[in-house]
Amino acid sequence: MRRLKVAIIGNGIAGFSAASALRSLDRESEITMFSREVTPLYSPCALPDYIAGEIPRDRLFVKSERDYEMLGIRTRFEREVRKIDGPNRELILDGGERFPFDRLIIATGSEAILLGEMKRGVFKLKTLRDAEAILDHQGKKAVVVGTGAIGIEIGIALRHRGYEVVFLEMLDHILPLGLDQKAADKVKTILSAQGIEVFCGERAEKVLGEERVDGLITDKRQIACDTLILAVGMKPNVALAKEAGVSL
C-alpha cells in the first residue's frame, strides 16, 4: 500500500504543530515541510531581545534538526513554494521543481505590512533574516513607525544598541490596542526618560533618500534618520492559497 504524501508549507509554530499532531496519529505517512527559512523553528517573539544583545542567537531556537528527524519530518528549508497546482496535486517550487502531494497543509502565517519601497535602511521585523539585517546595518538614528508591541520592543532594543530612537504613531497614544490613554502616558514617560522621542497623532507620508533612507516626512514634520523600522502591523500571508482558489 502506497504511503500518503503530506506536504506542509510553512515552518512556524502552526506548521510544526500540524506536523507533530499528524505524526502522533499516523506513523506511516510521508511528511515533507517546505520553508523559505534556512533554520529550524525559532521564536519570533524573542527577536528584539536578540537585537538588543540580551540573548545569544542559539537561544532563539525552540526546535533542532534532530527534533524533525525524530518525528520523521522531511525538511526542505530555503525552498520557496511558488504555486499550488491543485488539479494535479503538485507544488511548484523555485527553480521549477514539482513536488506531488496527497494532502496539503498551508501554514504560511502572516507578513509585515509595508509602506512604499524598501530602500536600504528600511526594515521590518518578522523573521530571523530581518533581525540579522538590522544588526548588520549598524545605523545611528532610527524612526520606528507604529507603536504596537513589536514596534515598542524593537525601538527599545535599538536604544540599547546606542541608536537615537523616535517613535511615530498615527493614533493619539502608543500601544493603542493594549492600553488606554492614562497607561500609555505612563509608558511614554518611561520611554522619554530613556531618551526616546514619541510623536503621536502623526502619519508617515514619504520616505526620503534615493537608494538609501535618509529621512521621513510626516504630516507635521521632517525627521532625519538612517534607519526606518516599519511596525504598522501584520496581514495574513494568503497569496498562495488565494491563487490556488482555496476558500478564504
Side-chain angles (χ1 to χ4, degrees), residues 15 83 116 160:
K83 186 176 181 180
H160 284 175

Coordinates of all heavy atoms in Angstrom, one line a residue, residues 15 83 116 160:
G15 N 2.8 25.3 11.4 CA 3.3 24.2 10.6 C 3.9 23.1 11.4 O 3.6 21.9 11.1
K83 N 3.8 28.1 -6.3 CA 2.5 27.9 -6.8 C 1.9 26.6 -6.3 O 2.7 25.6 -6.2 CB 2.4 28.0 -8.3 CG 1.0 28.0 -8.9 CD 1.0 28.2 -10.4 CE -0.4 28.1 -11.0 NZ -0.4 28.3 -12.5
G116 N 5.4 51.6 1.0 CA 6.2 52.0 -0.1 C 7.4 51.1 -0.4 O 7.5 50.0 0.0
H160 N 19.0 50.3 23.2 CA 20.1 49.5 23.9 C 21.3 49.4 23.1 O 22.4 49.3 23.7 CB 19.6 48.1 24.3 CG 18.6 48.1 25.4 ND1 17.9 47.0 25.9 CD2 18.1 49.1 26.3 CE1 17.2 47.3 26.9 NE2 17.3 48.6 27.1

